[in-house]
Amino acid sequence: LRADWTAWLEKASTQKVLNDLQKKSRADEKALGAADFDQLFAMIHLQAEAIGDPASVTPPNLASLMLLVEEGRQSILLTGDGRWDHLIEGLTETGRLDRNGRFEVDILKVPHHGSKNNVVDTDLLDRVIATHYVFCGDGHHGNPGVEVVEFMVKQRLKTPGKFKFWFNSSVAVAGRNEKPHMRDVERTVRSLAASSKGRMTFEFLESGSSLRVI
């Protein structure tokens, strides 16, 4: 990963991205108090990969930190832009999987906005069992992937208990180019929830720039 990271940094195209990012960051810093955070995050979004190709996940994404935050009996797993198989490897290395090879958590931030690239093996999806699943994609680059949503629901239904999918975007708030994709996501989610016999619920961000996961 270190070699790949160095090669990525040395690319002329990457240097241009970094230079542009620095300029925008300086401007954002001055106006941070009134910043539109959706726009801010879009500015720092670094992604150069083809849909459906795990090998194309970039070094910056693979270098994402994955954090398990616990307080009392509550827990949240933050996965950054990493790959799902790497998440399982991390939980294995730290001895957090139970005897059935699974890990239960209250809230799971789905890796890389629900990108298909980051799901290498769909059989690994039911290794992490959450009550709440958070998708941070807004339709850009086809994220969250409709196939990923379908895979995750299918695998989650194999384990008892109710669960909820949270989306920080919707047709109502997505950009013009992203609306068609978010429409497909919403249609798929509503259909999956209807066929889950009451086990699956969901919530889409319909206004504003944030939602509260409870």
Side-chain angles (χ1 to χ4, degrees):
L1 180 58
R2 180 177 298 173
D4 289 342
W5 174 261
T6 301
W8 184 87
L9 288 176
E10 291 176 347
K11 289 182 179 179
S13 59
T14 299
Q15 189 59 51
K16 183 179 183 304
V17 170
L18 293 177
N19 289 337
D20 290 344
L21 176 59
Q22 289 175 344
K23 293 178 182 178
K24 292 175 181 177
S25 295
R26 294 190 191 101
D28 292 333
E29 183 179 2
K30 296 179 181 179
L32 188 59
D36 180 338
F37 283 94
D38 286 342
Q39 181 179 4
L40 177 60
F41 290 144
M43 288 179 178
I44 64 174
H45 184 64
L46 301 177
Q47 180 176 12
E49 53 187 311
I51 297 300
D53 182 9
S56 69
V57 178
T58 61
N61 290 336
L62 292 176
S64 293
L65 296 178
M66 294 185 179
L67 304 176
L68 172 61
V69 182
E70 297 175 307
E71 182 175 359
R73 296 184 177 181
Q74 297 180 318
S75 59
I76 178 171
L77 186 54
L78 304 173
T79 60
D81 289 340
R83 285 181 10 188
W84 200 282
D85 55 328
H86 294 170
L87 170 62
I88 301 303
E89 289 177 7
L91 291 171
T92 301
E93 289 293 329
T94 54
R96 299 309 297 260
L97 298 179
D98 63 20
R99 60 182 181 182
N100 296 315
R102 293 180 174 178
F103 178 74
E104 294 187 8
V105 65
D106 293 312
I107 301 174
L108 169 68
K109 183 272 181 186
V110 179
H112 203 171
H113 323 297
S115 171
K116 184 178 179 180
N117 292 327
N118 296 62
V119 180
V120 179
D121 185 345
T122 57
D123 289 337
L124 295 177
L125 292 175
D126 63 352
R127 302 285 294 278
V128 178
I129 307 300
T131 303
H132 301 277
Y133 297 81
V134 179
F135 293 81
C136 296
D138 62 359
H140 197 54
H141 287 287
N143 295 328
V146 173
E147 303 96 328
V148 173
V149 172
E150 292 175 330
F151 290 149
M152 291 187 65
V153 173
K154 178 181 178 181
Q155 295 297 87
R156 181 60 178 81
L157 288 172
K158 294 180 180 180
T159 304
K162 294 183 178 182
F163 58 97
K164 187 170 184 176
F165 277 23
W166 300 79
F167 299 85
N168 76 329
S169 186
S170 68
V171 175
V173 299
R176 181 179 62 181
N177 294 332
E178 288 72 43
K179 285 184 183 295
H181 181 75
M182 289 308 302
R183 185 174 291 107
D184 289 342
V185 172
E186 287 191 42
R187 185 184 301 115
T188 299
V189 169
R190 295 181 192 282
S191 176
L192 291 168
S195 62
S196 70
K197 298 181 180 180
R199 291 187 55 196
M200 175 189 176
T201 56
F202 60 87
E203 183 170 334
F204 286 89
L205 176 66
E206 300 288 349
S207 62
S209 59
S210 64
L211 52 77
R212 182 175 182 180
V213 178
I214 54 175

